[in-house]
Amino acid sequence: MMTLEKLNSAGTADFVALLDGTYEHSPWIAERAATARPFATLAALKVALARVVREASVEEQLGLIRAHPELAGKAAVAGELTAESTNEQQKAGLTACTPEEFAKLQQLNADYNARFGFPFILAVRGPRGTGFTRQQIIATFERRLRAHPDLERAECLRQIHRIAEIRLNDKFGAKPALGEQLWDWARDLAVHSDTDDFLACTYATPAHTAVAKQLMAWMHECGFDEVSRDAVGNVVGVYNGSTEKRLLTGSHFDTVRRAGRFDGRLGIFVPMLVVRELHRAGKRLPFGLEVIGFSEEECQRFPADFLASSAVVGAFDADWLGRTDAAGITLRDAMRAAGLSGTVESITALKRDPSRYLGFVEVHIEQGPVLDGLDLPLGIVTSINGSRRYTGEITGLASHAGTTPMDQRRDAAAGAAELILFVEQRAAAVPDVVGTVGMLEVPSGSTNVIPGRCHFSLDLRATTDTARDALDADVRARLAEICERRGLSFTLRPTLAANAAPSDPTWQSRWEAAVTALGLPLHRLPSGAGHDAMKIHELLPQAMLFVRGGNGGISHNPLESVTADDAELAVQAFDQLVELLAARP
């Protein structure tokens, strides 16, 4: 069995030999990584190897990709695969394809090579390590065949790193058991959905209630001392410490429509596993752990932002109870139908006393491409972006497309297009500022009619309120200037204003110490998405840890993914954080 001690003490040639087969026919990767020794952890070794590839030339990266065999390709048929590739393709069932599947894969291999000039690479053992089905492999093949060449080259490299990670686990006898448990919980919880077609778990539906009940059952099994469901449907688990003080943590369990499995729920499962391990060891901390599965964060069914965490900080708006969903059901009635009280008094009583808590921490999938692009499993959140959102309408004059001269047009859509380009340019000019026009519509548009009206949305975000407000002012001023110059008018209706939530420096440093203890490099980044921590920020100091998402970091999408190995590291980081806090409160 391989050990870090053996690797760290080996000469360069022996180091390369010990890692033979990790990266297909590419000993130069191990040779360059040898200079980064000693490696404190297996995770540190994996990151160092990936860094070598990331810093290599494009020609070297393409050579690495082309060193890999096609799936169920000619080399497999001829028995010319390496032992590692043979094992992986056998486990994926690629040596037992039906004639139709084999023919399909041969055609996909040919089409892919013709488009990209290199073979399709997929870690067939998948994010959990137990393997994709042949049907999943073919579906992934077909989807990625449509990708841009630069994006696909990057994805092939990430898949190669995942292959290497699994091979290293095999060499070291490492099994991410906690990460596998987290992955299984996410899979099992996803069976509860508002629809059979995709994952959707919106507030106070039967599926939502079923998820809450399952979380409570698992919390009991993990050894929590108290488990309950509160007046707004939050699932609350408490693991008592030796004092009355508590560390608050958790995330949301509701989802968007067509969701992935890990958004929000990852941040519930991680502390649940830490509590389970503490309970199994018969260990108590000098503070309690209170884990909240927030019942609503996505604002999918009712127009009430951060409904669940608002109740915890004492900011629940009683007027929300009268708001209705698309079917005309009030929030109050939906809550009662789900077995919740729906009374202002019971909700008001949920506000936490900040003097009882040390702070709030949240673990969350990144929901973006940064960590995936840097080949890093964990990232430190510096701030949650503040945002302003609007819906708007530009009004011009609908007139004949053929008879109206270009210099006499009052084209509402052209005005909106100019605004979109300005938002893109203005946001790109300042670090950590983003702007998006995500909705654009010409009502009753026609091919031969100049658009007389154009509806649009604006989403403006920045890591500080000052940067956000400067972007907001510039965008609104440019909109007014565009409309004045083009002979248009506009309306702009605010729909959301949320302040930035910078991470508490002390809690951020604790996350940094926890990640460093795992042998991982630190990468700090802002959160462009809103999170429950953003609301809890109003009551307690907070800081977040991001976990890399697969498939380019996509989220709010069925392709959202986290590997068992990254989930394992998230649990280990949380455990490190509470141990460091226990030693140095």
Side-chain angles (χ1 to χ4, degrees):
M1 193 68 68
M2 186 83 72
T3 66
L4 285 172
E5 291 75 18
K6 187 182 297 185
L7 273 180
N8 286 331
S9 62
T12 299
D14 289 339
F15 178 85
V16 173
L18 287 168
L19 292 178
D20 181 52
T22 303
Y23 284 89
E24 201 90 352
H25 303 298
S26 301
W28 57 271
I29 299 172
E31 187 174 290
R32 294 181 195 177
T35 61
R37 290 181 290 174
F39 300 113
T41 64
L42 178 56
L45 170 63
K46 293 173 181 177
V47 168
L49 292 166
R51 184 187 298 117
V52 168
V53 176
R54 190 173 66 258
E55 294 175 352
S57 68
V58 171
E59 291 73 20
E60 288 173 319
Q61 292 174 349
L62 287 172
L64 171 61
I65 295 172
R66 289 172 180 144
H68 285 71
E70 295 177 335
L71 295 182
K74 295 176 182 178
V77 174
E80 298 172 352
L81 299 181
T82 63
E84 292 84 2
S85 288
T86 298
N87 177 53
E88 288 155 1
Q89 294 207 22
Q90 285 178 343
K91 284 188 173 181
L94 292 174
T95 55
C97 290
T98 65
E100 294 79 12
E101 290 169 337
F102 185 75
K104 180 69 171 178
L105 285 166
Q106 294 301 301
Q107 185 61 55
L108 286 169
N109 277 322
D111 293 345
Y112 188 94
N113 267 293
R115 175 164 166 73
F116 298 112
F118 48 78
F120 172 75
I121 309 295
L122 179 66
V124 294
R125 285 173 64 178
R128 193 191 183 283
T130 48
F132 289 121
T133 65
R134 294 194 295 276
Q135 292 73 27
Q136 289 173 321
I137 291 170
I138 290 171
T140 303
F141 215 144
E142 291 173 329
R143 172 176 56 82
R144 284 175 47 193
L145 188 55
R146 301 188 293 271
H148 186 279
D150 289 344
L151 295 177
E152 186 56 19
R153 174 168 56 86
E155 182 60 27
C156 281
L157 293 173
R158 286 191 287 266
Q159 293 295 324
I160 287 170
H161 293 319
R162 176 59 181 158
I163 292 169
E165 176 166 64
I166 293 170
R167 291 178 179 180
L168 285 169
N169 287 350
D170 291 343
K171 284 177 180 289
F172 280 82
K175 179 180 174 61
L178 297 174
E180 289 174 353
Q181 177 62 79
L182 187 152
W183 209 94
D184 292 346
W185 277 344
R187 178 200 61 208
D188 295 346
L189 210 58
V191 303
H192 304 294
S193 178
D194 299 339
T195 174
D196 293 333
D197 299 329
F198 47 79
L199 176 56
C201 182
T202 58
Y203 185 69
T205 61
H208 186 268
T209 301
V211 166
K213 290 179 178 178
Q214 182 61 76
L215 285 172
M216 293 173 71
W218 285 336
M219 284 184 172
H220 280 297
E221 291 173 8
C222 286
F224 282 83
D225 298 299
E226 305 169 28
V227 178
S228 61
R229 186 175 179 223
D230 70 21
V232 295
N234 294 328
V235 173
V236 183
V238 177
Y239 187 71
N240 293 326
S242 59
T243 70
E244 292 299 312
K245 284 281 190 177
R246 292 178 183 175
L247 173 62
L248 190 64
T249 187
S251 194
H252 63 97
F253 64 84
D254 69 318
T255 76
V256 298
R257 296 174 177 88
R258 295 190 178 277
R261 297 174 177 176
F262 298 95
D263 176 15
R265 297 174 178 189
L266 175 75
I268 306 171
F269 297 146
V270 165
M272 282 173 59
L273 283 166
V274 169
V275 166
R276 190 187 76 173
E277 296 308 296
L278 287 169
H279 176 69
R280 287 181 174 179
K283 184 175 181 179
R284 295 286 175 174
L285 299 168
F287 51 86
L289 286 174
E290 182 176 334
V291 181
I292 301 183
F294 292 105
S295 59
E296 196 283 333
E297 187 255 17
E298 298 290 3
C299 202
Q300 292 289 295
R301 185 178 177 189
F302 295 96
D305 292 314
F306 297 111
L307 180 159
S309 50
S310 290
V312 171
V313 303
F316 186 92
D317 187 343
D319 290 342
W320 290 345
L321 293 170
R323 294 185 179 180
T324 58
D325 65 7
I329 300 170
T330 66
L331 175 58
R332 177 184 288 105
D333 288 344
M335 293 173 75
R336 288 173 176 169
L340 307 173
S341 71
T343 67
V344 174
E345 294 76 18
S346 62
I347 295 170
T348 302
L350 299 181
K351 181 182 178 181
R352 300 307 195 267
D353 176 0
S355 68
R356 293 193 61 199
Y357 293 88
L358 300 170
F360 177 81
V361 292
E362 182 174 0
V363 181
H364 206 282
I365 187 172
E366 181 200 346
Q367 298 185 286
V370 176
L371 295 177
D372 203 32
L374 293 172
D375 304 309
L376 293 175
L378 303 176
I380 307 297
V381 178
T382 56
S383 178
I384 306 171
N385 283 4
S387 62
R388 292 195 185 277
R389 294 181 191 169
Y390 300 91
T391 57
E393 180 180 77
I394 295 176
T395 303
L397 180 65
S399 55
H400 198 290
T403 60
T404 307
M406 295 301 294
D407 62 352
Q408 296 182 36
R409 296 181 176 217
R410 294 165 58 193
D411 187 330
E418 188 175 343
L419 177 68
I420 292 170
L421 290 175
F422 175 77
V423 169
E424 180 181 60
Q425 294 160 3
R426 171 61 177 78
V430 180
D432 299 328
V433 169
V434 294
T436 306
V437 176
M439 292 165 41
L440 194 66
E441 178 193 11
V442 175
S444 305
S446 182
T447 303
N448 60 350
V449 177
I450 297 166
R453 296 163 61 212
C454 187
H455 297 159
F456 64 95
S457 64
L458 269 175
D459 185 318
L460 310 173
R461 308 189 191 204
T463 51
T464 67
D465 294 339
T466 301
R468 176 205 61 190
D469 292 345
L471 172 65
D472 178 49
D474 287 352
V475 168
R476 287 188 289 109
R478 181 56 64 93
L479 174 59
E481 186 274 327
I482 290 169
C483 290
E484 176 68 22
R485 173 165 39 84
R486 289 179 171 272
L488 308 169
S489 61
F490 72 91
T491 59
L492 203 58
R493 185 175 70 87
T495 58
L496 175 69
N499 291 335
S503 298
D504 177 78
T506 299
W507 281 103
Q508 181 179 321
S509 69
R510 287 171 175 145
W511 274 128
E512 291 173 358
V515 170
T516 299
L518 302 182
L520 295 172
L522 295 179
H523 183 76
R524 303 172 182 90
L525 71 167
S527 171
H531 299 288
D532 291 298
M534 194 174 199
K535 198 67 184 177
I536 303 298
H537 180 82
E538 299 173 10
L539 187 76
L540 296 170
Q542 59 78 27
M544 293 184 67
L545 179 74
F546 272 168
V547 181
R548 166 174 53 188
N551 292 320
I554 195 168
S555 186
H556 283 188
N557 186 296
L559 293 174
E560 178 182 279
S561 180
V562 169
T563 67
D565 289 82
D566 286 358
E568 178 92 6
L569 288 172
V571 177
Q572 291 176 358
F574 196 104
D575 181 65
Q576 285 289 332
L577 180 136
V578 297
E579 292 294 341
L580 289 168
L581 184 61
R584 298 188 299 274

